[in-house]
Amino acid sequence: MSSAAPSLSPPHSPPTTPSPGERRRIRVGNPVTPYLFVAPFLVLFAVFVLAPILVLAYSSTRQWILGFDTGGFVGTDNYATLLSGQGVLSEEFWSGMRVTAIFTVLSVPLLVVVPFALALLLNLKFPGRTFFRAVYFAPYVLGVAVVGVLWHFLLDARVGPVNHLLGSLGLPDAIAWTTSLPAGWVSLVGVTVWWTVGFNAVIYLAALQDVPGELYEAARIDGAGAWQRLWVVTIPHMRRVLQFVVVITIIASANMYGQSALITMEQPGGATRTAIGYIAQTGMESYDIGMASAMSMILALCLIAASLLVNQIFRFVGKV
């Protein structure tokens, strides 16, 4: 005798067919919904990024007289004047570009390596770790005006505490930190590293949390030391973050202006005046908006080229 076993699966309900109105709402609503989500960002991007770029490009092709766009369309004449290397404007601008390049070359390696080493130390487990993380990040919350005025006083050759401290240690105590070279470069680079080291360190710390702990454990089992774990596990997993930090640090260093304007006051003899400083002087003191816009476009193109070069280098290194 056999009996049929009761079925445990729920009874199947017949599939419901959407009405013509529902099908129309689905077809119409889906394409619009993604654009509504990204619309706020697109509006902000258009107002604060795209529009200024278009205005800058337009202004660079005009001749401004005493701050007014009355000279008409001049095409690429402003660019030709700057790229010719002749005349006061061109020589001063490329002198500022050279100063910008020197500061960038001196500061970027320190602003990439020092925060990375600091992040590795702050990622270890020891008492007071949170306190030291806050201490190293604290200078970054200060404004450039506060940092500039503070360090201009501390580095003053006659009354600055830095020279007094060096003298008490038996070291040279008459160094003109803000009015001579290469002491001026030491001041600008040192202050910038002290001021912004915490920002890059925080980015590195966040990236270190994503490195799988199992990989470190496997490396230890294979006999890898701390240095080998750094090169085999840590750095390969942080390659994208390193690339990002290098690019934003290059851009930030190339846009340096406040430190040279407030700490060294672009001394000695304008030797620490960066490209941004000269662009600001041309646009806001000489009221030559067209030439200042052309300078800004050239600087922006140089930064785009540098960023693409960095991306290509990291892509090549990643394939090795």
Side-chain angles (χ1 to χ4, degrees):
M1 178 178 180
S2 65
S3 62
S7 175
L8 299 178
S9 59
H12 294 285
S13 59
T16 58
T17 303
S19 64
E22 291 174 341
R23 288 200 298 268
R24 185 167 55 252
R25 283 196 298 273
I26 293 173
R27 286 198 301 270
V28 173
N30 282 340
V32 176
T33 303
Y35 297 105
L36 293 177
F37 279 107
V38 300
F41 168 77
L42 291 177
V43 171
L44 294 175
F45 179 81
V47 173
F48 294 104
V49 178
L50 188 58
I53 292 176
L54 295 177
V55 172
L56 185 69
Y58 171 79
S59 301
S60 67
T61 61
R62 312 286 296 182
Q63 183 182 15
W64 295 63
I65 299 176
L66 297 178
F68 296 98
D69 184 14
T70 57
F73 179 74
V74 295
T76 59
D77 287 356
N78 290 333
Y79 294 97
T81 301
L82 293 173
L83 296 175
S84 66
Q86 299 177 355
V88 176
L89 279 174
S90 179
E91 292 178 359
E92 292 289 338
F93 171 66
W94 289 110
S95 175
M97 291 289 283
R98 183 178 63 84
V99 172
T100 298
I102 293 174
F103 178 79
T104 303
V105 170
L106 293 177
S107 63
V108 168
L110 294 174
L111 289 171
V112 172
V113 175
V114 174
F116 184 69
L118 187 61
L120 291 176
L121 291 175
L122 295 177
N123 196 43
L124 301 175
K125 295 181 180 179
F126 59 90
R129 181 177 62 171
T130 304
F131 170 76
F132 285 105
R133 287 180 176 180
V135 166
Y136 283 110
F137 187 77
Y140 189 73
V141 304
L142 299 176
V144 64
V146 176
V147 173
V149 173
L150 172 66
W151 280 99
H152 181 74
F153 166 72
L154 294 176
L155 296 171
D156 187 89
R158 291 174 297 179
V159 299
V162 173
N163 273 349
H164 285 286
L165 177 61
L166 293 176
S168 65
L169 298 175
L171 299 173
D173 59 353
I175 302 175
W177 293 104
T178 60
T179 56
S180 68
L181 295 179
W185 290 122
V186 175
S187 302
L188 292 175
V189 174
V191 171
T192 302
V193 172
W194 168 82
W195 181 30
T196 61
V197 68
F199 179 74
N200 287 350
V202 168
I203 296 176
Y204 286 136
L205 271 172
L208 286 172
Q209 312 310 311
D210 291 336
V211 180
E214 295 82 2
L215 296 179
Y216 289 114
E217 189 63 28
R220 288 191 186 92
I221 294 174
D222 291 340
W227 188 252
Q228 291 174 313
R229 292 197 298 272
L230 174 66
W231 282 100
V232 175
V233 178
T234 305
I235 291 181
H237 278 80
M238 296 183 62
R239 185 167 60 88
R240 293 298 183 188
V241 176
L242 284 168
Q243 178 180 350
F244 171 74
V245 170
V246 171
V247 171
I248 65 170
T249 304
I250 289 175
I251 295 174
S253 297
N255 283 285
M256 191 273 284
Y257 170 63
Q259 297 96 306
S260 64
L262 296 172
I263 297 175
T264 63
M265 295 185 173
E266 302 182 343
Q267 299 300 317
T272 57
R273 181 172 57 188
T274 62
I276 294 294
Y278 189 64
I279 291 172
Q281 177 185 343
T282 303
M284 293 187 286
E285 295 182 10
S286 302
Y287 300 106
D288 194 345
I289 306 299
M291 195 63 73
S293 300
M295 294 176 185
S296 300
M297 290 295 291
I298 293 175
L299 178 60
L301 292 175
C302 291
L303 290 179
I304 291 173
S307 301
L308 293 176
L309 178 62
V310 170
N311 290 336
Q312 290 299 322
I313 291 174
F314 271 87
R315 183 174 299 178
F316 173 77
V317 172
K319 294 179 180 178
V320 175

